Amino acid sequence: MTWDPAPLSEVTALFSRVRVPWWIAGGHAIELAVGHAFREHGDVDVLLLRRDQSAVQEALSSWDWWAADPPGTLRPWQRGEILPVGVDDVWCRPSAAAPWRIQVMLDEAQGDEWVSRRNGAVRRAIADLGAVSPGGVPYLAPEVQLFAKARGTRPKDEQDFTAALPVLDDTQRRWLAKALETTYGPHPWLDRL
């Protein structure tokens, strides 16, 4: 399946029309936190809360949307269909003949709190879930993104952790350490936090 990731400027323009919170996620979020690009990306990720999933179809109204049904099967996402818990990713492209451009991830929330899919005990106020770059791009807070990357770390996740570590303040480091300990017990990143 071919990917041609949309540039952040295009993603921002498309999602700026919706009236719900959204954030650039994945490796791009880490680069926004660090302040510069440092590696290649195979896709571009956008995070929305599951309860706001209709905003994807609003922002990308003329696009082709496919839900990633576990364990990894893509199927068309019908207009107005509510994706259930467990269907956490949507691949989007401008048309059926175009390469994939945006991957949308859906996360859980209860009231004003984001709830981790990895561990329901790991929570955070939605208002504190992200930041905004100097260029006006909302992105997932680096400690939250690193927590998402911490399960079965790949070389790119290690690279992201190493790049983000110097920009994490004490509060962010404590949050990440607690989330890692709560979810995984011993984790190789804990010694570096």
Side-chain angles (χ1 to χ4, degrees):
M1 298 190 189
T2 306
W3 273 88
D4 181 19
L8 295 185
S9 58
E10 180 182 344
V11 175
T12 302
L14 289 164
F15 280 89
S16 66
R17 301 179 250 186
V18 301
R19 300 286 176 245
V20 297
W22 63 274
W23 305 268
I24 294 293
H28 286 289
I30 299 298
E31 289 183 344
L32 287 166
V34 170
H36 61 86
F38 57 84
R39 69 172 176 85
E40 294 294 317
H41 300 276
D43 63 6
V44 60
D45 302 317
V46 175
L47 177 70
L48 278 96
L49 301 175
R50 180 174 306 283
R51 66 186 181 203
D52 298 328
Q53 64 183 272
S54 64
V56 176
Q57 295 184 351
E58 178 187 336
L60 308 174
S61 60
S62 64
W63 285 43
D64 193 34
W65 324 294
W66 288 66
D69 277 340
T73 302
L74 286 175
R75 65 163 176 87
W77 182 27
Q78 302 303 315
R79 187 172 299 278
E81 176 188 358
I82 303 301
L83 297 175
V85 171
V87 179
D88 304 319
D89 295 298
V90 178
W91 290 20
C92 307
R93 57 189 175 185
S95 71
W100 302 108
R101 302 279 288 160
I102 299 171
Q103 179 176 346
V104 177
M105 298 178 298
L106 303 174
D107 263 4
E108 308 309 322
Q110 289 181 349
D112 293 335
E113 281 189 319
W114 164 82
V115 180
S116 168
R117 282 187 272 143
R118 303 231 189 304
N119 179 346
V122 176
R123 296 168 176 250
R124 186 168 196 148
I126 293 167
D128 298 330
L129 197 55
V132 178
S133 75
V137 180
Y139 63 93
L140 194 58
E143 66 275 21
V144 177
Q145 183 58 66
L146 289 171
F147 172 68
K149 289 175 156 285
R151 185 178 99 194
T153 55
R154 304 160 293 185
K156 67 180 180 179
D157 301 323
E158 291 291 341
Q159 190 176 5
D160 289 349
F161 178 75
T162 299
L165 197 54
V167 303
L168 297 179
D169 65 25
D170 288 342
T171 302
Q172 291 169 309
R173 287 171 183 250
R174 281 192 303 273
W175 185 92
L176 179 56
K178 183 177 179 187
L180 291 173
E181 287 172 335
T182 300
T183 304
Y184 302 113
H187 190 281
W189 288 352
L190 287 170
D191 291 341
R192 295 168 60 194
L193 289 170

